[in-house]
Amino acid sequence: MIEERFDAIVVGAGMGGNAAALTMAERGLKVLQLERGEYSGSKNVQGAILYADMLEKLIPNFREDAPLERHLVEQRFWIVDERSHTGINYRSDDFNEEKPNRYTIIRAQFDKWFSQKVREAGATVLCETTVTELLQDSHGRVVGVRTDRDGGEIHADVVVLAEGVNGVLGTGAGLRGRPKPDKVALAVKEMHFLSRETIDARFNLKGDEGLVIEAAGTISRGMTGMGFIYSNKECISLGIGCLVADFQRTGETPYGLLEGFKRHPSVAPLIEGSEVKEYSAHLIPEGGYRAIPQLCGEGWVVVGDAAQLNNAIHREGSNLAMTSGRIAAEAICLIKSRNDPMTAKNLSLYKKLLNDSFVIKDLKKYKDMPALMHTHSQNFFLTYPQLFSKAMQDYVRVDGTPKLEKEKLMLSSFVKARSWSGLLSDALRIARAWR
């Protein structure tokens, strides 16, 4: 048993957990961080996007030694059917700035670096340590954790739960419910290794420039989901994710979707000749604002994915995790400085500060969008992409058919699909949800 008592225990060493542990350690709190992996990031082989502004608030000079891949200068959005894509691209040389706004990273490398910063700040970090349950006193107040180490009870004034979307500690202790299948997506990713010169040529990049492609349409076979491609220095992160409820309903497999995405005519040339070295699966919270659980209680707070803090509409997760971890830590430090107990009432300061941040404001603004996309997934991810592709092909194909006749054919395609009323109805729903 660890006889020391800590000011705070952080469970998990992802973005949210590292942000919380770092912030509290830098402000002089006695912090213990527990991670079940061999090292922080050992279970995160996937590539990801890092938002610089949120990390800069934690580590202002992170660019000096952080394992960054490429800074993003271009964003592509694809609407795809079986054989084509219609794209919207945005590329700007403004993103070749002195301090770029977004980067691609490889989480296994980045999280390990982030964890080292936590250690340097003075926190105690124990890896290969699984927290089996939360310790609660007779009044239900969380007073520490029990681990799988010998005599593994450890006590603290407050426990920060940064255990991910499917963490069992909070649910096991009855502090929050288990996420429902229609509120969680399962994403699968592969790392495709190519030479740097090949990646530069295929994506029209130079130096450390990078891009992101996000694709939606028939690749998810009528399910709510999206494919993505990130360019790294010497590999490409490629994956696709859909709601767990849709996988249950349809019997489709994540790997089957990934194989189909890789074979798509717009994707296959980008990864041709690559060597696949890594494959991973990851659960992502998709419920939005309405799925956020209770954020704090007697002796505990919850941050990041465990708190369902993911903006599915804008595909933002790591920045919300880092921000929530930092804000929770700042609230704990303020309570500690007043010598106040870590009661639910005092810890509600975290919720107030989070409500005043962009995290909750953004999620609240789009609170109805996830349910709309999930309920009408067949329309948004199958019918409309197919109709749109056909209309685009009719428009650009020149074969002697008069343009007026083409327009009538395009109109009849929508009418035959009985999509006008549905399209108008969905457009109105989107407009209302977007307000």
Side-chain angles (χ1 to χ4, degrees), residues 269-337:
L270 299 177
I271 59 173
E272 183 179 0
S274 64
E275 181 181 3
V276 181
K277 292 186 178 181
E278 295 174 346
Y279 172 85
S280 67
H282 183 61
L283 288 173
I284 303 171
E286 291 281 330
Y289 178 78
R290 297 190 185 280
I292 297 174
Q294 184 178 341
L295 293 172
C296 57
E298 296 292 334
W300 63 273
V301 298
V302 59
V303 302
D305 282 4
Q308 288 276 331
L309 299 178
N310 180 66
N311 189 331
I313 303 303
H314 290 274
R315 286 83 54 204
E316 296 176 14
S318 64
N319 55 332
L320 276 66
M322 285 189 288
T323 301
S324 64
R326 173 180 59 81
I327 289 175
E330 289 172 348
I332 290 169
C333 290
L334 185 56
I335 295 167
K336 192 73 177 176
S337 71

Side-chain angles (χ1 to χ4, degrees), residues 295-296 327 347-357:
L295 293 172
C296 57
I327 289 175
L347 287 169
S348 66
L349 174 62
Y350 161 50
K351 182 178 179 180
K352 179 183 182 301
L353 294 174
L354 196 65
N355 283 339
D356 291 338
S357 74

